[in-house]
Amino acid sequence: MPRPIEFDRTQALNDAMLLFWRQGYHNTSVRDLTDATRLKPGSLYGAFSSKRTLFLKSLDFYSEALRAAVDGMLHNDRSPLERIEYFFNRLMEETERDPQQKGCLLVNTLLETPFEDREITKKASEGLIYVEKTFAELLEEARRNGELPSLGNTEAQARVLMSAIFGLRVYARMHPAPGTLASITTTILDNLRKAN
């Protein structure tokens, strides 16, 4: 009779996710994973079957946390544009506080993974698509409330905001001067309010 797996699966998954987040999928070895999770190779494979499966589960784990954070920041009683502004301000604060400049695991994965690897790119895209759809809903609400011009494609505007997130994450790795990211965010939001 096989012995039960005796470890905290959630903790191991979190440790693996953090490692993939810092190093990327291809730069992370099984040895790195066993060191980070403090599991022996047999236990690691017994629980997750392969490095690839563990990575896919890490993306799910990250995406669930992202959705919870997005819901907390973007679903409240503030006006729609205030919620979006708060989201970007929090994004900048987290980026500036991170000495490793890890960025976003999902964005990093899309940049690292070959286009042909549809399984990983689809998995990484799902969490980001959720953010984009939430932006589109808020922008439509802002348009109805008169916070935005009545004309304009809110779905296209949501895509612009997503592109801004991608760009800000990468730009932050250039170690810009303090305040630079905040000024970029201000410009993005100002342009959004003026969009026709």
mmCIF file of all heavy atoms in Angstrom, residues 80-81 136-154 157:
data_model
loop_
_atom_site.group_PDB
_atom_site.id
_atom_site.type_symbol
_atom_site.label_atom_id
_atom_site.label_comp_id
_atom_site.label_asym_id
_atom_site.label_seq_id
_atom_site.Cartn_x
_atom_site.Cartn_y
_atom_site.Cartn_z
ATOM 1 N N PRO A 80 -15.851 53.986 -11.057
ATOM 2 C CA PRO A 80 -15.047 53.077 -11.888
ATOM 3 C C PRO A 80 -13.631 53.570 -12.164
ATOM 4 O O PRO A 80 -12.669 52.810 -12.045
ATOM 5 C CB PRO A 80 -15.868 52.982 -13.179
ATOM 6 C CG PRO A 80 -17.267 53.244 -12.748
ATOM 7 C CD PRO A 80 -17.175 54.249 -11.645
ATOM 8 N N LEU A 81 -13.485 54.844 -12.530
ATOM 9 C CA LEU A 81 -12.150 55.348 -12.841
ATOM 10 C C LEU A 81 -11.276 55.453 -11.604
ATOM 11 O O LEU A 81 -10.059 55.270 -11.676
ATOM 12 C CB LEU A 81 -12.242 56.702 -13.555
ATOM 13 C CG LEU A 81 -12.839 56.683 -14.962
ATOM 14 C CD1 LEU A 81 -12.668 58.039 -15.640
ATOM 15 C CD2 LEU A 81 -12.230 55.588 -15.823
ATOM 16 N N ALA A 136 -12.817 46.376 -19.010
ATOM 17 C CA ALA A 136 -13.848 46.736 -19.991
ATOM 18 C C ALA A 136 -15.188 46.994 -19.309
ATOM 19 O O ALA A 136 -15.907 47.943 -19.668
ATOM 20 C CB ALA A 136 -13.977 45.629 -21.040
ATOM 21 N N GLU A 137 -15.531 46.169 -18.324
ATOM 22 C CA GLU A 137 -16.783 46.370 -17.586
ATOM 23 C C GLU A 137 -16.772 47.698 -16.836
ATOM 24 O O GLU A 137 -17.769 48.433 -16.835
ATOM 25 C CB GLU A 137 -16.993 45.212 -16.601
ATOM 26 C CG GLU A 137 -17.281 43.875 -17.281
ATOM 27 C CD GLU A 137 -17.201 42.711 -16.315
ATOM 28 O OE1 GLU A 137 -16.940 42.946 -15.107
ATOM 29 O OE2 GLU A 137 -17.376 41.561 -16.760
ATOM 30 N N LEU A 138 -15.641 48.016 -16.213
ATOM 31 C CA LEU A 138 -15.549 49.274 -15.464
ATOM 32 C C LEU A 138 -15.591 50.478 -16.389
ATOM 33 O O LEU A 138 -16.214 51.501 -16.072
ATOM 34 C CB LEU A 138 -14.258 49.298 -14.642
ATOM 35 C CG LEU A 138 -14.209 48.370 -13.421
ATOM 36 C CD1 LEU A 138 -12.841 48.451 -12.765
ATOM 37 C CD2 LEU A 138 -15.295 48.733 -12.431
ATOM 38 N N LEU A 139 -14.945 50.370 -17.525
ATOM 39 C CA LEU A 139 -14.941 51.480 -18.483
ATOM 40 C C LEU A 139 -16.330 51.713 -19.057
ATOM 41 O O LEU A 139 -16.744 52.859 -19.277
ATOM 42 C CB LEU A 139 -13.933 51.203 -19.602
ATOM 43 C CG LEU A 139 -12.461 51.232 -19.167
ATOM 44 C CD1 LEU A 139 -11.567 50.670 -20.263
ATOM 45 C CD2 LEU A 139 -12.027 52.647 -18.804
ATOM 46 N N GLU A 140 -17.057 50.637 -19.286
ATOM 47 C CA GLU A 140 -18.435 50.778 -19.764
ATOM 48 C C GLU A 140 -19.299 51.431 -18.689
ATOM 49 O O GLU A 140 -20.136 52.302 -18.984
ATOM 50 C CB GLU A 140 -18.999 49.402 -20.138
ATOM 51 C CG GLU A 140 -20.426 49.422 -20.655
ATOM 52 C CD GLU A 140 -20.604 50.258 -21.913
ATOM 53 O OE1 GLU A 140 -19.628 50.402 -22.686
ATOM 54 O OE2 GLU A 140 -21.730 50.783 -22.119
ATOM 55 N N GLU A 141 -19.084 51.043 -17.438
ATOM 56 C CA GLU A 141 -19.806 51.675 -16.328
ATOM 57 C C GLU A 141 -19.449 53.157 -16.236
ATOM 58 O O GLU A 141 -20.327 54.009 -16.021
ATOM 59 C CB GLU A 141 -19.462 50.965 -15.020
ATOM 60 C CG GLU A 141 -20.205 51.490 -13.811
ATOM 61 C CD GLU A 141 -19.809 50.793 -12.519
ATOM 62 O OE1 GLU A 141 -19.194 49.703 -12.585
ATOM 63 O OE2 GLU A 141 -20.094 51.337 -11.438
ATOM 64 N N ALA A 142 -18.159 53.475 -16.418
ATOM 65 C CA ALA A 142 -17.723 54.877 -16.382
ATOM 66 C C ALA A 142 -18.343 55.673 -17.523
ATOM 67 O O ALA A 142 -18.717 56.839 -17.352
ATOM 68 C CB ALA A 142 -16.196 54.947 -16.453
ATOM 69 N N ARG A 143 -18.482 55.045 -18.689
ATOM 70 C CA ARG A 143 -19.099 55.724 -19.830
ATOM 71 C C ARG A 143 -20.570 56.015 -19.531
ATOM 72 O O ARG A 143 -21.054 57.127 -19.775
ATOM 73 C CB ARG A 143 -18.969 54.850 -21.074
ATOM 74 C CG ARG A 143 -19.411 55.541 -22.371
ATOM 75 C CD ARG A 143 -19.403 54.582 -23.536
ATOM 76 N NE ARG A 143 -20.372 53.515 -23.347
ATOM 77 C CZ ARG A 143 -21.686 53.653 -23.517
ATOM 78 N NH1 ARG A 143 -22.192 54.831 -23.865
ATOM 79 N NH2 ARG A 143 -22.503 52.645 -23.339
ATOM 80 N N ARG A 144 -21.257 55.049 -18.947
ATOM 81 C CA ARG A 144 -22.669 55.248 -18.611
ATOM 82 C C ARG A 144 -22.840 56.328 -17.540
ATOM 83 O O ARG A 144 -23.827 57.067 -17.545
ATOM 84 C CB ARG A 144 -23.300 53.944 -18.120
ATOM 85 C CG ARG A 144 -23.459 52.876 -19.186
ATOM 86 C CD ARG A 144 -24.407 51.777 -18.719
ATOM 87 N NE ARG A 144 -24.007 51.199 -17.445
ATOM 88 C CZ ARG A 144 -23.238 50.124 -17.320
ATOM 89 N NH1 ARG A 144 -22.768 49.517 -18.404
ATOM 90 N NH2 ARG A 144 -22.941 49.654 -16.118
ATOM 91 N N ASN A 145 -21.884 56.414 -16.622
ATOM 92 C CA ASN A 145 -21.963 57.394 -15.528
ATOM 93 C C ASN A 145 -21.500 58.788 -15.931
ATOM 94 O O ASN A 145 -21.563 59.715 -15.123
ATOM 95 C CB ASN A 145 -21.107 56.930 -14.339
ATOM 96 C CG ASN A 145 -21.665 55.684 -13.682
ATOM 97 O OD1 ASN A 145 -22.785 55.285 -13.952
ATOM 98 N ND2 ASN A 145 -20.874 55.066 -12.820
ATOM 99 N N GLY A 146 -20.983 58.927 -17.139
ATOM 100 C CA GLY A 146 -20.506 60.223 -17.597
ATOM 101 C C GLY A 146 -19.077 60.535 -17.205
ATOM 102 O O GLY A 146 -18.606 61.659 -17.394
ATOM 103 N N GLU A 147 -18.345 59.551 -16.658
ATOM 104 C CA GLU A 147 -16.936 59.768 -16.318
ATOM 105 C C GLU A 147 -16.051 59.751 -17.553
ATOM 106 O O GLU A 147 -14.945 60.303 -17.538
ATOM 107 C CB GLU A 147 -16.453 58.681 -15.357
ATOM 108 C CG GLU A 147 -16.964 58.781 -13.943
ATOM 109 C CD GLU A 147 -16.297 57.743 -13.059
ATOM 110 O OE1 GLU A 147 -15.208 58.041 -12.540
ATOM 111 O OE2 GLU A 147 -16.849 56.633 -12.911
ATOM 112 N N LEU A 148 -16.523 59.093 -18.594
ATOM 113 C CA LEU A 148 -15.792 59.018 -19.858
ATOM 114 C C LEU A 148 -16.675 59.550 -20.972
ATOM 115 O O LEU A 148 -17.912 59.526 -20.856
ATOM 116 C CB LEU A 148 -15.415 57.564 -20.173
ATOM 117 C CG LEU A 148 -14.309 56.921 -19.351
ATOM 118 C CD1 LEU A 148 -14.150 55.452 -19.755
ATOM 119 C CD2 LEU A 148 -12.991 57.657 -19.533
ATOM 120 N N PRO A 149 -16.067 60.020 -22.063
ATOM 121 C CA PRO A 149 -16.867 60.447 -23.205
ATOM 122 C C PRO A 149 -17.790 59.328 -23.678
ATOM 123 O O PRO A 149 -17.458 58.147 -23.570
ATOM 124 C CB PRO A 149 -15.811 60.772 -24.270
ATOM 125 C CG PRO A 149 -14.573 61.082 -23.498
ATOM 126 C CD PRO A 149 -14.626 60.199 -22.287
ATOM 127 N N SER A 150 -18.970 59.707 -24.167
ATOM 128 C CA SER A 150 -19.956 58.702 -24.568
ATOM 129 C C SER A 150 -19.489 57.898 -25.768
ATOM 130 O O SER A 150 -19.897 56.750 -25.959
ATOM 131 C CB SER A 150 -21.300 59.365 -24.878
ATOM 132 O OG SER A 150 -21.141 60.335 -25.900
ATOM 133 N N LEU A 151 -18.636 58.507 -26.590
ATOM 134 C CA LEU A 151 -18.088 57.786 -27.736
ATOM 135 C C LEU A 151 -16.837 57.035 -27.296
ATOM 136 O O LEU A 151 -16.218 57.346 -26.295
ATOM 137 C CB LEU A 151 -17.747 58.757 -28.859
ATOM 138 C CG LEU A 151 -18.919 59.551 -29.443
ATOM 139 C CD1 LEU A 151 -18.411 60.540 -30.484
ATOM 140 C CD2 LEU A 151 -19.956 58.624 -30.056
ATOM 141 N N GLY A 152 -16.443 56.061 -28.056
ATOM 142 C CA GLY A 152 -15.227 55.328 -27.729
ATOM 143 C C GLY A 152 -15.522 53.866 -27.459
ATOM 144 O O GLY A 152 -16.588 53.517 -26.942
ATOM 145 N N ASN A 153 -14.607 53.051 -27.846
ATOM 146 C CA ASN A 153 -14.733 51.609 -27.711
ATOM 147 C C ASN A 153 -14.099 51.188 -26.384
ATOM 148 O O ASN A 153 -12.879 51.224 -26.230
ATOM 149 C CB ASN A 153 -14.028 50.929 -28.898
ATOM 150 C CG ASN A 153 -14.208 49.438 -28.899
ATOM 151 O OD1 ASN A 153 -14.276 48.805 -27.854
ATOM 152 N ND2 ASN A 153 -14.290 48.871 -30.094
ATOM 153 N N THR A 154 -14.916 50.803 -25.408
ATOM 154 C CA THR A 154 -14.390 50.477 -24.091
ATOM 155 C C THR A 154 -13.529 49.206 -24.125
ATOM 156 O O THR A 154 -12.585 49.084 -23.340
ATOM 157 C CB THR A 154 -15.524 50.308 -23.064
ATOM 158 O OG1 THR A 154 -16.505 49.401 -23.576
ATOM 159 C CG2 THR A 154 -16.178 51.644 -22.784
ATOM 160 N N GLN A 157 -10.213 50.367 -25.234
ATOM 161 C CA GLN A 157 -9.572 51.095 -24.143
ATOM 162 C C GLN A 157 -9.042 50.131 -23.077
ATOM 163 O O GLN A 157 -7.979 50.352 -22.500
ATOM 164 C CB GLN A 157 -10.555 52.090 -23.536
ATOM 165 C CG GLN A 157 -10.892 53.244 -24.473
ATOM 166 C CD GLN A 157 -12.057 54.075 -23.977
ATOM 167 O OE1 GLN A 157 -12.890 53.599 -23.208
ATOM 168 N NE2 GLN A 157 -12.120 55.319 -24.429
#
